[in-house]
Amino acid sequence: MDTRSQHEKSDDPRSRLDIIDGQQRRVDRDFERPVVWLYAVWGFAWLIGYLLLWLATGPLTGTIPGPLAGIVFAVLIVGSIVASAVIGSRIGRGMRGPSTFSGIVYGVSWTACAIAFAALGIGLVANGMSGDLSSLYFPSAYALMCGALYLGGAAIWQDRTQLVIGVVLLALGGAAPFAGVPWNLLVMAIVGGGAFLAGAIVTVARVRK
């Protein structure tokens, strides 16, 4: 009787749907866990890095030596780009088909776009762009880069959190220069870093749920 009941239960359509739903939730968690690290890495890099630059060049000039702030910022951003490339390429690992290809391309895109935006900025400096303008260009350029890539990630993985972060970063990249130097750095730290960290918190809560 018990065996028959178990067999009937396993053949029940609702039970099969529950099994499918459970498997889908596990797959979703496998996709979202690496994304949490993407948000966290960029959040701390932007919050700490841009805040240090602002402290070195803003109203509190002298609080932190400028060269030290620049070195720390560069290390944080390069580390974030490398981490994004590695983590992005690992999303969907173990699965075959379009998801694997999308993850690899997405991961490589971070490095390729970072090099392209840096080369453009260096070219502008070589052609006479002033220090103040470069201080406006580089933060906004990388905000636009991250925003565009997060919109791409949102389209690939249908993730609304990435969509919101992407829109925020695009708006930030376009609006920050109006704050002027060095206040654009503080805006980047608070708005950009805050958006990434908020995304990490929301995603962690969703994964745990």
Side-chain angles (χ1 to χ4, degrees), residues 6-179:
Q6 293 176 358
H7 179 71
E8 290 176 351
K9 185 176 181 180
S10 63
D11 288 339
D12 179 55
R14 179 172 294 180
S15 298
R16 289 198 294 270
L17 287 175
D18 290 340
I19 293 173
I20 293 173
D21 289 341
Q23 292 175 341
Q24 183 61 50
R25 285 194 294 270
R26 285 194 293 272
V27 171
D28 291 341
R29 285 197 298 269
D30 290 339
F31 274 101
E32 289 181 334
R33 285 194 183 102
V35 175
V36 173
W37 288 105
L38 280 175
Y39 296 153
V41 166
W42 279 99
F44 284 112
W46 279 43
L47 182 62
I48 296 173
Y50 280 117
L51 187 59
L52 288 178
L53 290 179
W54 180 74
L55 290 173
T57 60
L60 302 178
T61 300
T63 304
I64 296 176
L68 176 61
I71 293 173
V72 173
F73 176 77
V75 170
L76 289 172
I77 295 301
V78 171
S80 298
I81 292 171
V82 172
S84 297
V86 174
I87 295 171
S89 64
R90 289 175 177 267
I91 295 177
R93 185 181 61 174
M95 301 179 65
R96 297 179 180 179
S99 296
T100 301
F101 178 76
S102 298
I104 294 174
V105 172
Y106 182 75
V108 172
S109 297
W110 281 91
T111 302
C113 290
I115 294 174
F117 276 99
L120 175 60
I122 293 172
L124 292 173
V125 171
N127 282 276
M129 184 169 68
S130 66
D132 285 344
L133 286 180
S134 64
S135 296
L136 294 175
Y137 166 79
F138 283 102
S140 288
Y142 282 101
L144 295 174
M145 181 197 82
C146 293
L149 287 172
Y150 272 103
L151 287 183
I156 294 172
W157 292 291
Q158 300 180 9
D159 187 347
R160 294 183 179 180
T161 303
Q162 290 195 57
L163 175 61
V164 173
I165 293 177
V167 171
V168 170
L169 292 177
L170 288 178
L172 175 62
F178 291 96

